[in-house]
């Protein structure tokens, strides 16, 4: 059975690797490490299909070490021990390079089993992960390794790999490519070179005896392949973060883009929840109706479902992005929560407590609560915070029209208010 096309055309030198110029261009640190042949423990972090395994294989070949491959999804502790034991074999006399793919799936004990051998240098570790290593890799392993981040490959660089794949797949005569086929595949793969090469292989298989590859064929094979999305992974939270920050920055076009990516991946509930948060956190009292309108849009979206749900959610996104912004109430509750967690509290003033009698030890019995509705403007000065926080200010009026109007009203109340008892 023939090996997959992606394996048959896998680059054999760093110059053949597409993309990752920030790591592999002449003069870059990783490139210089490989050229010297002195390889430290490394962690490659980045999305799938961007060259992590390929670069690790090239490094192992360049370093003259025995390459042992394990995958964190299937590797056991015994597999790791066997890999380490390879250093005592004839093949391992030059050293062992352990390439551990998807290290984030190993538990803490399994990762700890690597420590002794990578500490004494008998085994060189190159681990890869699609998740943030600072969250998923055991700290002691991380501290003994250097992290390099691999990035999605640009369409222009991916196009080079696509052309190389068509040449390899059509080695018995070549293919006639319609205009735009290479560019479409390179764009649709979303920075995943392996996915682009797999699309080429599928097109070659589907072509049969025909040698022409049409743009329509490419669209059918590569449809939705640009969606790099994992609801439990970094990409999920990155898109939600980008959605919120775009709305906070009043860029409705960027916000619509990130909403579209979430919805195209079939994720309806996550943006619904995030939009409700945004309405209060970032728009807040600058436009108090934002939360009501957003809730109505979210309810409509959930009720009608995809794909039509995109319509009310787009309405909510544009409304929030173009609305005035205020985080005053959000910051106020965060400061109040910080005081509570720091133990800054105390009983409410006697006038606010829900009891109407005093013990014999109280020298000045009585609740002394004054009912604001009995006073002009339904307001008077009265202590509401505990004694320890009597003068604490959490909320500061925002500089938008709505909150400034509320501030002016508050100042009017203060000017005309009855004095606090004892003043």
């Amino acid at each position: 059975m023939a090996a997959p096309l992606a394996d048959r055309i896998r680059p054999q030198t760093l110059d053949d690797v597409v993309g990752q110029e920030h790591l592999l261009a002449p003069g870059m640190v990783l490139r210089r490490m490989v050229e010297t042949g002195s390889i430290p423990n490394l962690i490659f972090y980045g999305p799938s299909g961007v060259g992590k395994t390929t670069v690790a294989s090239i490094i192992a070949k360049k370093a003259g070490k025995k390459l042992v491959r394990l995958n964190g999804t299937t590797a056991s502790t015994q597999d790791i021990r066997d890999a380490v034991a390879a250093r005592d074999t004839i093949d391992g006399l030059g050293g062992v390079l352990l390439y551990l793919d998807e290290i984030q799936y190993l538990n803490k004990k399994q990762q700890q089993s690597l420590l002794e051998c990578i500490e004494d240098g008998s085994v060189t570790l190159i681990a890869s992960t699609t998740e943030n290593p600072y969250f998923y890799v055991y700290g002691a392993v991380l501290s003994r390794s250097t992290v390099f981040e691999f990035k999605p490959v640009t369409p222009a660089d991916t196009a080079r790999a696509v052309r190389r794949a068509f040449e390899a797949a059509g080695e018995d005569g070549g293919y006639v490519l319609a205009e735009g086929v290479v560019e479409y595949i390179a764009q649709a793969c979303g920075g995943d070179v392996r996915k682009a090469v797999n699309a080429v292989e599928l097109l070659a298989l589907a072509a049969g005896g025909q040698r022409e590859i049409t743009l329509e064929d490419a669209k059918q094979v590569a449809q939705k392949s640009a969606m790099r999305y994992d609801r439990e992974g970094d990409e999920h939270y990155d898109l939600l973060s980008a959605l919120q920050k775009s709305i906070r920055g009043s860029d409705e076009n960027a916000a619509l883009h990130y909403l579209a990516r979430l919805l195209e991946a079939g994720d309806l509930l996550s943006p619904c929840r995030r939009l409700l948060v945004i309405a209060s956190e970032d728009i807040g009292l600058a436009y108090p109706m934002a939360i009501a309108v957003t809730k109505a849009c979210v309810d409509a979206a959930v009720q009608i479902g995809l794909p039509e749900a995109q319509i009310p959610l787009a309405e909510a996104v544009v409304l929030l992005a173009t609305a005035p912004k205020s985080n005053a109430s959000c910051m106020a509750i965060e400061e109040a929560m910080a005081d509570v967690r720091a133990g800054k509290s105390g009983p409410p003033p006697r006038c606010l407590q829900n009891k109407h009698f005093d013990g014999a030890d109280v020298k000045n019995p009585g609740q002394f609560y004054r009912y604001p509705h009995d006073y002009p403007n339904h307001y008077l000065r009265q202590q509401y915070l505990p004694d320890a926080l009597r003068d604490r200010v959490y909320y500061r009026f925002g500089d938008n029209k709505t909150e400034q109007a509320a501030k002016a009203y508050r100042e009017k109340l203060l000017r005309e208010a009855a004095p606090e008892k004892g003043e």
Side-chain angles (χ1 to χ4, degrees), residues 41 83-85 87 95-98 117-125:
N41 300 307
V84 172
R87 60 187 175 177
V96 172
L97 190 149
L98 172 60
C117 63
I118 65 174
E119 180 77 29
D120 63 20
S122 57
V123 172
T124 300
L125 172 69

Side-chain angles (χ1 to χ4, degrees), residues 191-231:
D192 187 331
V193 176
R194 185 189 299 116
K195 188 176 291 186
V197 173
N198 288 343
V200 171
E201 187 170 27
L202 286 173
L203 287 169
L205 292 173
Q210 299 180 355
R211 310 311 296 176
E212 182 179 0
I213 305 293
T214 68
L215 182 57
E216 183 60 33
D217 292 337
K219 289 181 178 180
Q220 290 185 37
V221 169
Q223 61 181 332
K224 287 194 175 182
S225 64
M227 291 307 303
R228 183 191 301 279
Y229 189 74
D230 178 359
R231 294 192 189 189

Side-chain angles (χ1 to χ4, degrees), residues 364-380:
N364 186 23
Q367 187 165 21
F368 307 112
Y369 174 65
R370 293 190 291 171
Y371 191 54
H373 294 297
D374 290 339
Y375 294 84
N377 298 320
H378 305 268
Y379 179 80
L380 76 158

Side-chain angles (χ1 to χ4, degrees), residues 80-410:
I80 296 174
R81 292 194 185 110
D82 292 342
V84 172
R87 60 187 175 177
D88 299 323
T89 65
I90 294 178
D91 289 343
L93 291 178
V96 172
L97 190 149
L98 172 60
Y99 178 64
L100 185 52
D101 199 9
E102 306 291 357
I103 189 176
Q104 74 270 18
Y105 290 110
L106 295 184
N107 59 40
K108 182 177 178 180
K109 182 178 180 181
Q110 289 174 314
Q111 293 189 37
Q112 285 177 322
S113 66
L114 296 167
L115 288 177
E116 182 179 353
C117 63
I118 65 174
E119 180 77 29
D120 63 20
S122 57
V123 172
T124 300
L125 172 69
I126 299 182
S128 73
T129 175
T130 56
E131 306 293 347
N132 191 327
Y134 297 100
F135 296 157
Y136 292 93
V137 178
Y138 180 52
V141 174
L142 196 61
S143 68
R144 291 164 174 78
S145 308
T146 302
V147 177
F148 288 100
E149 181 178 3
F150 283 61
K151 300 182 182 297
V153 182
T154 65
D157 286 332
T158 304
R160 291 167 44 203
V162 171
R163 292 189 183 93
R164 184 194 305 163
F166 272 119
E167 291 173 3
E171 56 187 7
D172 58 346
Y175 291 100
V176 178
L177 305 180
E179 183 178 355
V181 166
V182 171
E183 292 75 13
Y184 182 84
I185 296 174
Q187 181 69 47
C189 75
D192 187 331
V193 176
R194 185 189 299 116
K195 188 176 291 186
V197 173
N198 288 343
V200 171
E201 187 170 27
L202 286 173
L203 287 169
L205 292 173
Q210 299 180 355
R211 310 311 296 176
E212 182 179 0
I213 305 293
T214 68
L215 182 57
E216 183 60 33
D217 292 337
K219 289 181 178 180
Q220 290 185 37
V221 169
Q223 61 181 332
K224 287 194 175 182
S225 64
M227 291 307 303
R228 183 191 301 279
Y229 189 74
D230 178 359
R231 294 192 189 189
E232 300 299 325
D234 287 348
E235 184 73 5
H236 167 79
Y237 298 104
D238 286 347
L239 289 178
L240 289 173
S241 176
L243 172 65
Q244 181 162 6
K245 290 171 182 173
S246 297
I247 291 176
R248 182 183 296 152
S250 299
D251 189 331
E252 65 276 10
N253 297 304
L256 286 167
H257 169 77
Y258 295 117
L259 174 67
R261 289 173 64 173
L262 289 160
L263 297 181
E264 187 67 13
D267 190 349
L268 173 59
L269 295 182
S270 294
C272 285
R273 289 194 293 264
R274 185 57 65 99
L275 289 174
L276 290 170
V277 171
I278 295 168
S280 294
E281 179 179 350
D282 294 305
I283 285 76
L285 296 176
Y287 179 39
M289 281 299 295
I291 183 66
V293 176
T294 301
K295 179 64 164 58
C297 290
V298 164
D299 287 347
V302 172
Q303 184 172 359
I304 63 181
L306 291 170
E308 290 87 352
Q310 67 188 22
I311 301 170
L313 290 185
E315 179 182 346
V317 162
V318 173
L319 171 77
L320 297 176
T322 57
K325 306 296 189 294
S326 172
N327 68 341
S329 58
C330 176
M331 298 301 293
I333 188 60
E334 288 185 2
E335 288 188 36
M337 294 294 290
D339 276 353
V340 171
R341 295 187 185 108
K344 298 177 182 179
S345 58
R350 176 67 182 86
C351 64
L352 303 185
Q353 295 175 13
N354 188 33
K355 60 183 180 181
H356 306 286
F357 65 91
D358 295 288
D361 59 328
V362 177
K363 297 180 180 179
N364 186 23
Q367 187 165 21
F368 307 112
Y369 174 65
R370 293 190 291 171
Y371 191 54
H373 294 297
D374 290 339
Y375 294 84
N377 298 320
H378 305 268
Y379 179 80
L380 76 158
R381 293 193 185 96
Q382 187 169 212
Q383 181 182 343
Y384 293 98
L385 277 168
D387 290 340
L389 296 167
R390 176 168 180 159
D391 298 320
R392 189 73 164 93
V393 174
Y394 296 117
Y395 174 68
R396 298 165 183 84
F397 292 93
D399 58 2
N400 56 83
K401 180 180 179 180
T402 302
E403 287 182 271
Q404 284 300 303
K407 180 181 179 183
Y409 177 68
R410 171 61 58 80

Side-chain angles (χ1 to χ4, degrees), residues 54-71:
T54 296
V55 172
S57 299
I58 294 172
I59 290 175
K61 181 179 178 181
K62 182 75 174 179
K65 296 179 182 289
K66 175 180 175 60
L67 176 64
V68 179
R69 280 180 165 177
L70 293 177
N71 190 293

